[in-house]
Amino acid sequence: MAKVYISSTYGDLKEYREAAYRALRRLGHDAVAMEDYVATGQHPPLAKCLKDVDNCDWYVGIFAWRYGYIPDEENPEGKSITELEYRQAEKKQKPQFIFLLEENHPWSRNQMDEVTGQGENGMCIKQLRQELGKKKLVSFFTNPDELASLVSASVGKWERDLLGSNKQPEASAEKRQEPLYNARDELICPYQGLLAFTEKERPFFFGRQTIVEALEKKLNQRKNFIPLIGVSGSGKSSVVLAGLIPWLEELGWQILEPIKPGFKPLTMLESLLLPYFRDDQQLLDQCINNQDSEGLKPLLELFPREHKFLLVVDQFEELFTFALAEQRDRFIELITQVATIPDFPLAVVATMRADFIEPCLRYDGLRQLIQNNAEYLPDLRGLDLLEAITEPAKLQGYEVTKELLNKILEDIKQEPGFLPLLEFALTQLWQKRDEAEHRLTLDTYEAIGGIVGALNCQADKVYQYRDYEEEKPVKERTEAEKTLIKRIFLNLLQIGDGEKDTRLRQSKAFILSLAGDNQEGQKVLTELIEGKQGLVKGRLLVTGKTEREEEAWVDLAHEALIEKWDNLNLWRTETRQGRELAKQVDKDAQNWQKNNKSQDYLWSGDKLADAEKVLQQYKDTVETTDLAQEFLQASSQEELRSYLRSPDIDNLERETLEKEAVRKLFFNQERLWQLLTDEKEKAQIRLSASWLLKQWGEEVPIWTAEVDKQGNIALSIIAENDLPSTVIEQLEGEISLEMVEIPGGEFWIGSREGEAGAYPDELPQHKVKISPFLMGKYLVTQAQWRVVASMPKIERDLNPEPSYHKGYSRRPVECISWYEAVEFCERLSHWSQQKGKGYQYSLPSEAEWEYACRSVISYQLSVISEELSQNPIYPPYHFGWKIDPALANYAQTALARTTTVGRFQIANAFGLYDMHGNVFEWCLDDWHDHYEGAPIDGRAWLIEKHSQLKLLRGGSWDLGPGNCRCASRGRYYPVNRASNVGLRVVASSRT
């Protein structure tokens, strides 16, 4: 052991002097400094200082821009004590190690004599620095860590030079430990790559003795919960697993198996404690899982008191990135309880990432423990860093060359969070070491890409090649394998705020599920992960399963991969939008589940449409949980239902539908067919789905409905061959007129006496015989009106665009007078005769209309009471006893406008649409206040001099249920027009 005298000015260089002191002590030397004299605030006696210089073996001088204290006694030249100490060492020919603050390094002006005006001191320190700068053993520093490294390197070189010249330094070297070999008689790699050091690698763990001592000191102070906090990659796990645990074991502590919180931290904790409480399993379960229990207190009182116990919770941040929320809160409550009960035999050390302190602070107890007990892990610097680099290799009989060490130290300055990169690079260096010369070299370091490039190059090789262990690999992986590797890594990431991601341990079963149910694909995945040419062997992934864990897991070897592997960084960036969205979907899906899967928590509108589009874009790289998929499916279904309930779907044509399908992924033909065929689905949704599919060009069923007296709707399908035949008149282009052949028959027109909702003008009910005729399947549309209005005039002009509710040609024409409706029929008849078809068109008689509406034949067996065919009981609507917004456009449908003809998809037994609601239909008949004396042959009932009012049938979009009944009658002046009055035509056989 050598005695070394450290000389410097005091206040400005105190921190630097302490760094040099520690470096020398770590090298095994006894360091002496004026620190020993100034504790009382007095200047050191000159004679004492110079005597200590005389008695030292070496002198270390540290100089910045202060000249220092100038003693009065025995100092005729007026030199500072620091210069006098240096002159004394020079006089006595002591080895002198000089360290000067870098000339241009920023420095406090208050610590510079030439600035503060300290007499001639500014000039004196300048002259002294100039002299010292010419010394052989001079070095320049900028910070305490660098100074410590320089002191260690300079003194170490001096010692080696002495050994090389067969001179023995006063410091005696410790006995050299023999290299360690594995079972195959191979030298064990002394570096850990991206993995943490554990107790097994303790012999190779260097550089963290100070922090280990600090942790042990706090434990001895009965601080039973100690958070060890550090940035990602600072070596927290290694400090505890390879540093603290072995030391405490030597001191007699009992060490519980270290745990990570995982997905179910309470389950993990219970499993850990089970071996100690096998006879009290019920108590164990109550203490951990019962929120009303005393927590761990009853358990810890049963711990044997003759031992101290340590529980290490590694990667505490998993509680916020991975664990179930409901288990996280309870786990934190339990694990911090050890600090609240005096003389507990159990202590906890938890490793925490510094960027997860904020969520920890939300818990009062945990916040207090962090404030009072936390130990913060600094960067590895100075002598500690040199030890971590050189000592593991030295232990195995290898040297880290000076050129390599200097280059590593230079590179480290430029690389924040360098430790995992350094350890990985050293591992690569070891694998390519110079076995002949027993050294790690600069040439090899540069060949592997240095600190930054080593990890990136190795990760790329493992990703691209099966034979990645070869110097020049040639067996490239398939594109399918590369895609799977990409998906594996992306699924091992927990997306964070901003650009920050963290690693996310996943169950092996989940990773294998990326191949779906394909067993061959799962075999490929297993081989990619754990095979001879897999990602685990390539040191990019780790896998495991302890007795306490329910299933095997897969994880990134280290978070350094997230930022430092260029490919993974690129994948993260490319998929960030999709991964952020998947995270939000999963969060909202859990909230939906907590609220009994209420529709109120589903997504809708642009949010859902955009989400489906984005997730579709990333479907090959971004996974969503089963719950998230169920949530999105439910959201899509409900959004589709909302869409189908929207009035805006009336006018959609095929081109528009296809555009909608591109914009809204929930909107597609497959889902529409699913709704259409789902008999449990509401009628409105099924019929709207049918309507849209029809507009899309699909062949859809012909629907009819039966509504019972309670309003329950039963949909059924009419076979086309069960309907009357249809005659089609092609008017112009694609505009045609479909006419249904209505068979002749008898029925009872009007309402029964006492019938609910009936009006006096509907009485008396009487039998009418109807001859066969043709009737329009639909109301006359605006397009049809426009074509006929362009035909030659018969008696009056027709406005081609009379309708108030414009905007779509397939809506019914309205705002037409009775006279204009008659003109329409006459022009249509004239056109038909000219075309050689010879149909005579007109407005229907009231009897024809009601007969056609009731499609009465269909009720003769099923609906009409058996009491008397002379007193039939008809339901008020052709589809049954009640009307419903799902089946017709009337006031309660709340559209406040007309709808496209046939929109509601319900045909009666004759195949006619929109017989209830939408618009009133003009009839030929004059208005009569009752049916006394009405015709019984189905012809129109006209007054000789014409009534001032004409008859309307069918109800309209703005009227209630009663006005839409089959028997309901309306009246209007024939010259008037209204936005709720249109027409439907009938025709006689050819003339």
Side-chain angles (χ1 to χ4, degrees):
M1 176 187 294
K3 182 177 286 188
V4 185
Y5 188 84
I6 302 176
S7 174
S8 75
T9 50
Y10 181 65
D12 56 333
L13 290 171
K14 181 179 179 182
E15 184 181 358
Y16 292 78
R17 189 169 56 256
E18 290 173 351
Y21 181 89
R22 289 196 304 270
L24 291 166
R25 294 290 292 173
R26 288 184 181 280
L27 290 173
H29 301 308
D30 183 15
V32 179
M34 72 168 72
E35 195 81 12
D36 302 325
Y37 312 134
V38 298
T40 61
Q42 301 296 318
H43 288 296
L46 177 61
K48 172 65 175 169
C49 292
L50 297 182
K51 183 178 180 180
D52 284 341
V53 174
D54 291 345
N55 292 335
C56 77
D57 299 306
W58 303 331
Y59 164 88
V60 169
I62 307 169
F63 300 88
W65 294 104
R66 293 285 298 276
Y67 185 52
Y69 162 66
I70 300 175
D72 295 329
E73 74 276 9
E74 301 178 10
N75 186 18
E77 297 181 10
K79 296 184 183 299
S80 71
I81 196 168
T82 50
E83 182 172 354
L84 290 170
E85 288 168 343
Y86 160 65
R87 299 296 176 192
Q88 186 73 6
E90 189 176 43
K91 177 181 177 181
K92 296 295 183 179
Q93 297 184 343
K94 303 289 183 180
Q96 299 157 47
F97 301 92
I98 306 300
F99 301 93
L100 299 181
L101 180 69
E102 190 75 52
E103 181 86 17
N104 297 319
H105 184 70
W107 197 249
S108 171
R109 294 173 64 82
N110 293 332
Q111 303 291 350
M112 301 175 71
D113 284 346
E114 65 176 341
V115 175
T116 58
Q118 297 292 323
E120 296 180 354
N121 288 2
M123 181 61 68
C124 291
I125 186 62
K126 269 192 171 184
Q127 292 173 351
L128 181 58
R129 282 175 59 94
Q130 288 174 1
E131 178 184 340
L132 295 172
K134 299 174 183 177
K135 302 290 287 187
K136 181 180 180 181
L137 297 179
V138 66
S139 301
F140 296 88
F141 65 89
T142 60
N143 60 66
D145 286 338
E146 186 177 27
L147 175 61
S149 300
L150 292 169
V151 169
S152 180
S154 298
V155 172
K157 183 179 185 302
W158 176 261
E159 289 181 294
R160 290 193 295 273
D161 289 347
L162 282 175
L163 287 169
S165 60
N166 295 322
K167 295 179 182 179
Q168 294 296 321
E170 282 75 358
S172 58
E174 294 183 8
K175 182 179 180 181
R176 180 181 179 83
Q177 182 175 329
E178 291 298 316
L180 301 177
Y181 292 83
N182 61 22
R184 298 187 298 277
D185 203 29
E186 300 168 337
L187 271 178
I188 295 173
C189 176
Y191 304 104
Q192 275 296 93
L194 296 177
L195 305 180
F197 284 86
T198 65
E199 193 170 359
K200 180 181 175 183
E201 292 81 36
R202 182 191 184 188
F204 305 120
F205 183 62
F206 290 91
R208 288 301 195 185
Q209 189 61 30
T210 301
I211 196 72
V212 171
E213 290 175 0
L215 290 170
E216 191 270 341
K217 182 179 179 181
K218 287 188 174 181
L219 288 171
N220 283 334
Q221 293 171 348
R222 307 304 297 167
K223 293 185 176 180
N224 282 4
F225 186 94
I226 302 176
L228 176 60
I229 299 172
V231 299
S232 175
S234 57
K236 302 178 291 296
S237 299
S238 297
V239 165
V240 175
L241 302 179
L244 181 64
I245 285 178
W247 191 6
L248 293 181
E249 284 182 323
E250 291 173 2
L251 296 176
W253 283 64
Q254 299 293 308
I255 310 298
L256 304 184
E257 182 181 333
I259 63 171
K260 297 176 183 177
F263 186 60
K264 298 178 179 179
L266 290 180
T267 305
M268 185 70 70
L269 182 61
E270 185 172 2
S271 175
L272 176 70
L273 296 176
L274 181 60
Y276 299 89
F277 302 99
R278 291 199 181 278
D279 296 332
D280 297 287
Q281 291 188 34
Q282 186 174 0
L283 174 64
L284 174 63
D285 178 68
Q286 282 289 316
C287 289
I288 289 180
N289 298 306
N290 186 349
Q291 297 283 347
D292 298 325
S293 73
E294 294 183 81
L296 295 181
K297 183 178 179 181
L299 296 176
L300 295 172
E301 289 175 349
L302 299 176
F303 263 76
R305 297 286 169 164
E306 63 269 20
H307 294 294
K308 296 178 181 178
F309 293 83
L310 176 70
L311 167 60
V312 172
V313 182
D314 197 16
Q315 297 183 22
F316 196 80
E317 62 272 7
E318 280 193 353
L319 288 169
F320 304 101
T321 63
F322 191 40
L324 292 171
E326 56 268 26
Q327 291 210 11
R328 175 180 63 224
D329 295 351
R330 178 65 173 171
F331 181 85
I332 291 175
E333 178 188 350
L334 293 175
I335 211 72
T336 56
Q337 192 179 30
V338 298
T340 64
I341 304 176
D343 301 321
F344 252 20
L346 176 67
V348 175
V349 173
T351 65
M352 300 180 183
R353 272 182 45 175
D355 50 339
F356 279 90
I357 290 181
E358 183 180 352
C360 292
L361 300 181
R362 300 171 194 158
Y363 299 84
D364 291 341
L366 185 55
R367 182 180 67 250
Q368 290 292 330
L369 290 171
I370 290 174
Q371 290 172 348
N372 299 330
N373 295 1
E375 191 68 38
Y376 291 87
L377 186 61
D379 285 343
L380 195 62
R381 297 290 182 185
L383 182 61
D384 292 337
L385 176 59
L386 294 176
E387 282 187 354
I389 296 172
T390 61
E391 292 302 315
K394 187 186 295 184
L395 183 65
Q396 295 297 71
Y398 278 73
E399 175 196 6
V400 176
T401 65
K402 177 182 176 181
E403 296 81 12
L404 171 59
L405 185 59
N406 289 338
K407 178 61 174 170
I408 289 175
L409 293 175
E410 179 184 338
D411 289 350
I412 282 172
K413 293 179 186 177
Q414 313 299 324
E415 193 58 44
F418 65 84
L419 190 56
L421 303 178
L422 169 63
E423 195 69 20
F424 190 87
L426 290 170
T427 304
Q428 295 290 299
L429 277 169
W430 178 262
Q431 293 171 351
K432 301 176 186 296
R433 63 192 180 276
D434 184 342
E435 297 188 50
E437 298 294 331
H438 282 72
R439 62 184 185 176
L440 309 183
T441 66
L442 177 60
D443 289 344
T444 306
Y445 175 78
E446 291 177 339
I448 65 172
I451 289 278
V452 177
L455 175 58
N456 196 55
C457 291
Q458 175 67 8
D460 278 345
K461 282 177 69 176
V462 174
Y463 167 61
Q464 292 174 358
Y465 297 99
R466 296 191 185 116
D467 56 339
Y468 53 79
E469 293 180 298
E470 300 296 327
E471 188 69 28
K472 295 183 178 179
V474 294
K475 297 179 181 178
E476 189 166 356
R477 297 190 190 273
T478 66
E479 289 304 313
E481 288 175 326
K482 290 179 183 178
T483 298
L484 283 174
I485 291 174
K486 179 178 179 181
R487 292 179 68 189
I488 291 170
F489 275 91
L490 287 173
N491 279 281
L492 294 175
L493 297 179
Q494 172 74 44
I495 193 161
D497 297 330
E499 297 299 317
K500 192 72 174 176
D501 287 344
T502 56
R503 67 183 183 181
L504 176 63
R505 192 152 45 108
Q506 294 278 23
S507 70
K508 185 178 177 183
F510 173 80
I511 295 298
L512 293 182
S513 74
L514 299 179
D517 296 330
N518 185 332
Q519 291 189 351
E520 189 60 35
Q522 292 190 4
K523 284 177 61 178
V524 171
L525 268 174
T526 302
E527 189 66 22
L528 277 175
I529 295 170
E530 298 177 305
K532 293 180 180 179
Q533 300 168 328
L535 303 171
V536 171
K537 190 174 182 184
R539 292 178 174 250
L540 301 186
L541 297 183
V542 289
T543 59
K545 180 184 183 298
T546 68
E547 293 180 2
R548 315 199 190 290
E549 292 170 317
E550 296 179 357
E551 54 185 342
W553 49 263
V554 182
D555 198 356
L556 297 182
H558 198 280
E559 286 192 329
L561 283 163
I562 298 174
E563 297 290 342
K564 304 305 179 183
W565 182 18
D566 289 346
N567 262 323
L568 183 52
N569 227 343
L570 176 64
W571 299 339
R572 290 195 308 121
T573 302
E574 288 176 341
T575 61
R576 186 160 195 85
Q577 183 185 16
R579 292 184 299 119
E580 284 179 336
L581 182 59
K583 178 182 177 181
Q584 187 61 48
V585 172
D586 190 48
K587 179 181 177 181
D588 287 0
Q590 292 179 37
N591 194 32
W592 172 63
Q593 187 177 51
K594 287 178 184 177
N595 288 278
N596 300 317
K597 298 186 177 180
S598 166
Q599 292 182 4
D600 295 339
Y601 292 84
L602 295 174
W603 284 10
S604 61
D606 289 342
K607 183 177 183 179
L608 175 62
D610 293 344
E612 290 191 319
K613 191 172 182 180
V614 170
L615 291 176
Q616 177 70 16
Q617 179 184 347
Y618 294 105
K619 65 179 180 180
D620 294 331
T621 51
V622 175
E623 316 302 322
T624 50
T625 63
D626 290 343
L627 178 62
Q629 291 177 27
E630 182 187 352
F631 171 76
L632 285 175
Q633 179 69 16
S635 295
S636 294
Q637 287 293 85
E638 186 55 34
E639 181 70 359
L640 184 53
R641 291 187 185 97
S642 297
Y643 187 80
L644 293 174
R645 287 190 287 265
S646 167
D648 297 332
I649 67 171
D650 293 354
N651 303 334
L652 297 180
E653 294 181 331
R654 183 168 186 165
E655 183 178 350
T656 307
L657 290 171
E658 289 173 352
K659 289 179 180 178
E660 285 282 271
V662 171
R663 196 173 71 86
K664 302 172 180 176
L665 293 187
F666 68 81
F667 182 64
N668 57 60
Q669 293 183 32
E670 181 180 354
R671 286 185 175 173
L672 289 173
W673 274 112
Q674 289 173 355
L675 291 174
L676 182 151
T677 55
D678 184 358
E679 294 184 0
K680 295 180 181 179
E681 188 58 76
K682 292 181 178 179
Q684 180 184 12
I685 302 302
R686 296 182 72 188
L687 294 172
S688 292
S690 178
W691 166 251
L692 289 182
L693 285 168
K694 184 176 182 180
Q695 308 318 298
W696 222 317
E698 296 283 297
E699 289 289 335
V700 297
I702 301 171
W703 297 97
T704 190
E706 289 189 22
V707 185
D708 63 21
K709 292 182 178 180
Q710 287 70 46
N712 300 310
I713 303 172
L715 296 180
S716 58
I717 296 172
I718 307 176
E720 191 167 359
N721 56 11
D722 289 339
L723 292 172
S725 300
T726 300
V727 172
I728 299 177
E729 289 262 55
Q730 205 67 36
L731 298 178
E732 181 182 281
E734 295 183 359
I735 301 172
S736 61
L737 181 65
E738 291 185 71
M739 303 294 291
V740 176
E741 294 183 355
I742 306 298
E746 291 183 345
F747 85 113
W748 290 74
I749 192 172
S751 298
R752 289 180 299 107
E753 190 77 37
E755 182 178 321
Y759 290 93
D761 58 70
E762 299 167 15
L763 300 174
Q765 189 178 37
H766 60 286
K767 184 187 290 188
V768 177
K769 184 174 183 179
I770 303 294
S771 300
F773 63 98
L774 301 175
M775 190 174 203
K777 179 183 287 190
Y778 305 104
L779 294 160
V780 171
T781 67
Q782 295 178 26
Q784 293 167 340
W785 180 274
R786 195 180 302 118
V787 172
V788 174
S790 67
M791 294 177 182
K793 173 180 176 182
I794 304 298
E795 290 188 12
R796 66 187 70 243
D797 294 327
L798 293 180
N799 179 1
E801 300 286 350
S803 300
Y804 175 81
H805 299 286
K806 291 183 172 68
Y808 193 57
S809 295
R810 290 165 59 195
R811 283 186 181 171
V813 68
E814 20 84 13
C815 285
I816 56 168
S817 68
W818 182 86
Y819 293 112
E820 289 167 334
V822 171
E823 174 73 14
F824 177 90
C825 295
E826 291 177 351
R827 291 190 189 188
L828 191 56
S829 299
H830 182 70
W831 171 85
S832 180
Q833 291 169 6
Q834 284 187 329
K835 294 293 183 181
K837 298 184 178 181
Y839 290 109
Q840 189 66 39
Y841 289 94
S842 69
L843 297 175
S845 70
E846 177 181 21
E848 288 174 330
W849 190 94
E850 186 171 334
Y851 174 75
C853 178
R854 292 190 184 279
S855 50
V856 69
I857 294 176
S858 65
Y859 293 109
Q860 289 179 350
L861 296 178
S862 62
V863 179
I864 297 178
S865 168
E866 294 182 2
E867 292 179 23
L868 284 174
S869 61
Q870 299 299 316
N871 189 23
I873 301 175
Y874 295 138
Y877 308 96
H878 72 69
F879 37 64
W881 298 97
K882 291 190 176 182
I883 192 170
D884 188 277
L887 307 179
N889 179 13
Y890 64 110
Q892 276 74 5
T893 311
L895 297 178
R897 59 165 174 78
T898 60
T899 47
T900 302
V901 299
R903 158 66 184 86
F904 289 85
Q905 291 287 283
I906 292 295
N908 69 6
F910 286 157
L912 303 175
Y913 292 84
D914 296 315
M915 299 302 289
H916 301 297
N918 212 355
V919 292
F920 273 119
E921 303 176 29
W922 285 117
C923 292
L924 277 177
D925 304 61
D926 293 321
W927 172 255
H928 295 81
D929 292 333
H930 50 75
Y931 281 135
E932 294 289 347
I936 59 172
D937 57 0
R939 58 188 169 83
W941 189 11
L942 300 174
I943 299 175
E944 189 173 328
K945 294 184 179 179
H946 288 292
S947 168
Q948 291 185 337
L949 296 170
K950 284 292 184 178
L951 202 80
L952 296 172
R953 280 302 195 116
S956 66
W957 55 265
D958 60 339
L959 295 178
N963 297 103
C964 297
R965 293 174 299 112
C966 296
S968 178
R969 307 168 74 220
R971 58 186 183 272
Y972 204 45
Y973 292 104
V975 295
N976 284 1
R977 305 181 181 92
S979 63
N980 64 350
V981 177
L983 80 155
R984 184 190 307 259
V985 298
V986 296
S988 60
S989 300
R990 295 175 183 173
T991 57

